[in-house]
Amino acid sequence: MTISRRKFLGWCGVAGLGVARAKPVRSASLQEFAGYPDSLGVLHDTTLCIGCRSCEAACNRVNELPEPAEAFTDLSVFKARRRTSAKTYTVVNRFEAPGSGRKPVFVKKQCNHCLEPACAAACFVGAFQKSKEGPVVYDASVCVGCRYCMIACPFEIPAYEYDNAFTPRVMKCTLCAPRIKDGLLPGCVEACPTEALSFGRRKDLIRMARQRIVSYPDRYVDHIYGEHEMGGTSWLYLSGVPFSHAGMREDLGVTPALAFTSGALSTVPLIASLWPVLLVGIYAVSRRKEKLYETEKASAVEAAMEKTTLKARAELEQALEKARREKDAAIEKEVRKAIKAKSIQPGGEDKDA
Amino acid sequence: MPEKRIHLGSGRITPFNLVSGVIIVLGLMITVIRYTGGLAAVTRLSDYNPWGIWIGFDLLVGVALAAGGYVTSAAVYVFGLKRYHSAVRPAVLTGFLGYALVVAALTYDVGRGWRLPYPFLVQQGTTSVLFEVAACVALYLTVLFLEFSPAALEWLGLKRARNLAVKMTMVLTIFGVILSTLHQSSLGSLFLIAPSKLHPLWYSPYLPVYFFVSSITAGLSMVIVEGALSGRYLSHKMDPAHLADKDQVALGFAKAAAFILAGYFAIKVMGISVGNHWNLLSTPYGLWFLLELVGFVALPCFLYAIGVRERNLTIIKTAAVWTVLGIVLNRLNVSLVAFNWHLPAGERYFPHWMEIGLSVFLVTVGILVFRFIALRMPIFYEHPEFEENEKHSYSVDR
Ligand code: SF4
Ligand code: SF4
Ligand code: SF4
C-alpha cells in the first residue's frame, strides 16, 4: 500500500504535522546534499564543440521529435540565439568570443538535470523526480499543466506544448533515461564527432574536468560550471571564455531552489497552529468585553428599574396616604357635621355616645 | 439623474445588459477557441513566459481583491466590531464569487483543467508552494460557500439547515482567516523560487509578508468600493439598517486601511534597505518601483487619512479605488513586468487581446451573478423571518 502511505504522509506534511516528507529531498536547507552517489552525467567541453549540430539531429531522432523547419545541416540558425522548445530538447548556440580574431564559442543547451531540481521542488503533483541514476524524469500522466516548473527552472529549460488543446505536456531532455537503462549512450553524446560531450559518472566527470583545467590552464577558465551552480547539476561545462560570454548565467549562486521556498513553507505549521489560538483569544476578549458591557447595561437597567419602582411605590404610598388623609378628613368633617347637628337637636342618643 | 435609470434591473434592454451580453458572447467564443486550438490559439504565452495575465490578474489580483470576505468576517466575528455586521454578507458573497472565478480562470490556464484535483487525489508535491496555495484555495472556497449558505438557505426557506449553517459562523471565520493568511502570503512565496528571474526591487524574502499585508488593504478597500457601487445601483434592495451603517463601515474600514497601508509602506522600504537596493532606485525599473510605492501606496494612504479626518466619503472612495489599482499594479509587476526583466525585449510577454477578453468575461460573469443573487437573496437586508434569529445567534446589537 505504498500509494496510500505516501498520500497519508503527503497530507501530514501539508497539515504541518512534521512527519517525514514523501520524497527523499532534503527537508531543510541546512545540510548539503551531495547528490546520489554514482549518478550519471555529461561533461560538455565547449572548447571542443565545432557547432555541427549533430547532437541536435541525434536528439531529434532518438526522441522521435517532429522534423524541424530548417534542416540540422543548416548553420544559418546560429544567427539568432535559440532556446529549448517543445519540439527541440537541445540547441547549440554560437557566441562571438570577446576580442577579435578568436574563434566563436559553441555551447549546447539542454536540461542540466540538477541534483536538487527547481522544477521538482516546484511541481505540486511531483511530476518531476530526480532519479538515483541521474536523469530528472517527468511523468506526463499526472502533470496538470500549471507550468510552475517553467517559472522555477533557473536555466529556462522546460517547454510546453501550447498548441495542444487536450493533452499538452512539458517537454525537456530526458538525459535519454530509456537508452541509459538499455546500456546505450545518450543520443547526443553518441553522435558528437569531437568528444565535446562525455558521458559517465558525475564524480569521474568532475575529476576529468579538473584534470583538463590543470593540464591546459591557458585553454580553460578555472571553473566547472554545474559543479555547484544551484546546488549542482548532472550536466557539467568547461569553457575557454568566461561563462557569461557563453550565454550562461554566473549569478545563480550555489543554493538549490528548494532552499528559497523552504523557509516560507516552514511557517505553514506555525501559522496553522498559532493563528487559531490567537484568534480564539481575541474572540474571547471581545466576547468578554461585550458581556461586561451587556451585564453593565443590564445592571444599570435593573438599578434604574429599581429606582423607578421605589419611587413609584413611594409615590403610590404618598398618594394612598394622601387619599387616606383626605378620606379621614372627609369622614371627620362629616362626623363633626353630624355632631354639630345632634348638639343643636337635643336628644337622648347623644348622651350615649 | 441618468445613472439612476441604468439601475441594474435584469431582463430589460439597458446599456449595461447590452454590453455584458456582447462580452458574454465573446467570452464563449474564446472558450471554444481555447478548448479546440489550445493555449497557443488564444494567448501569447511562451516557453520563457509560462504565466500571463490569467495568472497575474485572474489569480493574483483576483485572490487579493476577494480578501474582503475574510477581512470583514474577522472584523465582525473575531474582533467583535458588530457595527460592521451589515457589511459581512456582501463581502462574503464577493469573496465567494471571486474565488469561484479564480478557479474558473485556472481551468482555462492550466493545460489540463480537469486534473486540478490531482495534487490532492493522485500525488502530492508537498515541497511546492503551489501545493499549499492549491490546498488553501480549495478549502477556502468551501469555507466561503458555507459562510454564504445562510443567505441562500433563507431565500429557499430552509430554516433548519440555515440555523445549522449559522451556528458554524465562528468556526468558519477562524478557519477562513487561517487559510487566507496562508494562501494570500503563499501567492507571494510562489516567486521566491526564482530569484534569478524577478527584479531585485520586487524580489524579497519578505514577499509573502508583502502579499499578506497588502491583501488586507485590498480587502478593506474592496469593501468600500463595492459598498459605493451597490449603494448606487442596488440601494433599493437595502434595508434601513444597512443604509444607515453603510457610511460607518466606509469610515471604519478607511481608518484601518490608512494604518495598514502605512505599515505596508514601511515594510516595503525596510525591504529595500535590507537588500540594500537603494542604488537601483535611479534605474528605469527603480522609477517604476517608486511609482508603485509612492503613487499607489503612500498616496492612497495619505488620502485615506485625510478622508477619515474630514469624514469625507468622496475622498475615502477615491482612496479605495486608488488602493485597488495599486494592488493590481503590484501583482502585475511581480508576476509580469518585473518578472523576466533580464530577457531581451523581443522575448517579453504582452497579453493577446483574447487573454484580456477572457479576463473581462470572467469579471462580467461575476458582476452578473452578484446582481442576480443580490436582487433575490437577503444580502443587503435581513430576511424578515430570520431577523430575530439572526440577532439571537450573533447577538448583534444595533
Ligand atoms: S535544468 Fe531546469 S528542467 Fe532541468 S532539472 Fe534543472 S530545474 Fe529541472
Ligand atoms: S506543469 Fe506539470 S510538471 Fe510542471 S509544475 Fe505544473 S504539474 Fe508539475
Ligand atoms: S541526452 Fe538525450 S534527450 Fe537529452 S539532449 Fe541528449 S539526446 Fe537529447
Side-chain angles (χ1 to χ4, degrees), chain A residues 85-99:
Chain A
S85 73
K87 296 184 174 95
T88 7
Y89 290 172
T90 184
V91 291
V92 178
N93 278 313
R94 184 177 67 192
F95 298 92
E96 303 307 330

Side-chain angles (χ1 to χ4, degrees), chain A residues 110-120 128 130 136 149 152-158 172-173 233 257:
Chain A
Q110 73 298 305
C111 170
N112 283 329
H113 298 274
C114 308
L115 301 186
E116 294 172 79
C119 56
F128 282 105
K130 175 76 176 173
V136 173
C149 49
C153 173
F155 302 105
E156 304 176 321
I157 296 302
K172 75 166 192 71
C173 152
T233 59

Side-chain angles (χ1 to χ4, degrees), chain A residues 39-61:
Chain A
S39 77
L40 299 163
V42 175
L43 173 65
H44 177 30
D45 187 337
T46 63
T47 65
L48 296 173
C49 183
I50 54 170
C52 66
R53 299 185 69 206
S54 309
C55 55
E56 286 188 38
C59 178
N60 177 279
R61 183 164 33 79

Side-chain angles (χ1 to χ4, degrees), chain A residues 31-175:
Chain A
Q31 78 263 44
E32 170 101 6
F33 173 73
Y36 293 107
D38 294 334
S39 77
L40 299 163
V42 175
L43 173 65
H44 177 30
D45 187 337
T46 63
T47 65
L48 296 173
C49 183
I50 54 170
C52 66
R53 299 185 69 206
S54 309
C55 55
E56 286 188 38
C59 178
N60 177 279
R61 183 164 33 79
V62 301
N63 290 299
E64 292 166 4
L65 296 171
E67 209 164 302
E70 290 103 6
F72 285 110
T73 48
D74 182 354
L75 298 187
S76 67
V77 293
F78 289 136
K79 277 196 214 116
R81 186 162 161 192
R82 298 176 299 151
R83 62 154 287 158
T84 54
S85 73
K87 296 184 174 95
T88 7
Y89 290 172
T90 184
V91 291
V92 178
N93 278 313
R94 184 177 67 192
F95 298 92
E96 303 307 330
S100 58
R102 293 185 63 178
K103 284 190 300 174
V105 184
F106 295 100
V107 181
K108 177 180 182 298
K109 188 182 175 106
Q110 73 298 305
C111 170
N112 283 329
H113 298 274
C114 308
L115 301 186
E116 294 172 79
C119 56
C123 179
F124 70 158
V125 278
F128 282 105
Q129 302 279 345
K130 175 76 176 173
S131 63
K132 280 202 292 297
E133 296 75 28
V136 173
V137 288
Y138 163 73
D139 179 3
S141 73
V142 293
C143 174
V144 180
C146 66
R147 308 184 298 282
Y148 188 35
C149 49
M150 299 166 68
I151 293 279
C153 173
F155 302 105
E156 304 176 321
I157 296 302
Y160 200 61
E161 295 184 310
Y162 288 109
D163 48 7
N164 186 329
F166 284 108
T167 53
R169 293 166 297 172
V170 173
M171 304 294 274
K172 75 166 192 71
C173 152
T174 61
L175 195 52

Side-chain angles (χ1 to χ4, degrees), chain A residues 122 125 143 148 162 249 275 290, chain B residues 46 82 115 128 181 190 196:
Chain A
V125 278
C143 174
Y148 188 35
Y162 288 109
R249 294 188 67 163
W275 240 211
E290 190 184 305
Chain B
S46 67
K82 299 279 155 60
R115 282 187 178 177
S128 172
T181 313
L190 280 180
S196 57

Side-chain angles (χ1 to χ4, degrees), chain A residues 100-312:
Chain A
S100 58
R102 293 185 63 178
K103 284 190 300 174
V105 184
F106 295 100
V107 181
K108 177 180 182 298
K109 188 182 175 106
Q110 73 298 305
C111 170
N112 283 329
H113 298 274
C114 308
L115 301 186
E116 294 172 79
C119 56
C123 179
F124 70 158
V125 278
F128 282 105
Q129 302 279 345
K130 175 76 176 173
S131 63
K132 280 202 292 297
E133 296 75 28
V136 173
V137 288
Y138 163 73
D139 179 3
S141 73
V142 293
C143 174
V144 180
C146 66
R147 308 184 298 282
Y148 188 35
C149 49
M150 299 166 68
I151 293 279
C153 173
F155 302 105
E156 304 176 321
I157 296 302
Y160 200 61
E161 295 184 310
Y162 288 109
D163 48 7
N164 186 329
F166 284 108
T167 53
R169 293 166 297 172
V170 173
M171 304 294 274
K172 75 166 192 71
C173 152
T174 61
L175 195 52
C176 283
R179 282 172 63 91
I180 293 179
K181 214 177 261 159
D182 294 343
L184 296 169
L185 281 176
C188 54
V189 177
E190 192 181 66
C192 180
T194 68
E195 292 188 21
L197 300 172
S198 324
F199 176 76
R201 286 194 298 185
R202 185 173 183 270
K203 263 199 315 226
D204 301 338
L205 294 174
I206 289 178
R207 202 171 305 133
M208 187 163 104
R210 191 149 298 130
Q211 230 153 40
R212 286 189 198 176
I213 295 175
V214 172
S215 312
Y216 308 99
D218 298 339
R219 190 185 172 100
Y220 295 106
V221 170
D222 185 12
H223 182 70
I224 306 171
Y225 194 98
E227 187 179 3
H228 299 298
E229 270 76 11
M230 295 300 291
T233 59
S234 293
W235 211 284
L236 303 160
Y237 301 81
L238 282 176
S239 168
V241 298
F243 283 97
S244 54
H245 293 298
M248 300 166 82
R249 294 188 67 163
E250 290 184 308
D251 58 350
L252 296 179
V254 297
T255 317
L258 196 60
F260 296 127
T261 51
S262 60
L265 276 178
S266 68
T267 60
V268 172
L270 204 70
I271 294 176
S273 52
L274 278 185
W275 240 211
V277 179
L278 254 162
L279 292 174
V280 171
I282 296 172
Y283 173 63
V285 170
S286 75
R287 272 305 286 227
R288 213 184 122 60
K289 259 203 226 147
E290 190 184 305
K291 271 229 183 86
L292 271 179
Y293 172 70
E294 256 159 34
T295 34
E296 254 165 41
K297 202 166 81 178
S299 56
V301 168
E302 216 166 90
M305 287 263 281
E306 215 162 285
K307 230 164 140 191
T308 21
T309 347
L310 280 178
K311 204 168 143 207

